[in-house]
Amino acid sequence: GDGVVNQHFGHAQEFSIYEASGAGLNFIGARNIGRNYCDGPATCGDNEPVLPKVTELLSDCAVILSARFGQYPRRHIGCRRQ
């Protein structure tokens, strides 16, 4: 929101896709998943069918930035914490 990475990965319903180069950032577009994976601590993981859709939509991305990123998506997507 407003140029700031401000949302938990599991709460996101849309991801902004950028291409980075030496010249800067170029906005490619938004990818809408329609339904967030996680509604809060009590329901994270309950909506597992959404996670494969997110994985597919982001499969061509080299980096995913989010305010927080839970253990289940990290294992499912194969991310490592930086």
Side-chain angles (χ1 to χ4, degrees), residues 30-52:
R31 296 187 185 162
N32 190 306
I33 61 168
R35 169 87 166 81
N36 55 317
Y37 159 72
C38 177
D39 292 320
T43 60
C44 274
D46 294 345
N47 200 16
E48 291 180 17
V50 173
L51 195 53

Side-chain angles (χ1 to χ4, degrees), residues 5 12 14 25 29 39 66:
V5 177
E14 183 176 88
L25 294 175
D39 292 320
S66 69

Side-chain angles (χ1 to χ4, degrees), residues 19-27:
E19 181 178 57
S21 71
L25 294 175
N26 182 36
F27 179 69

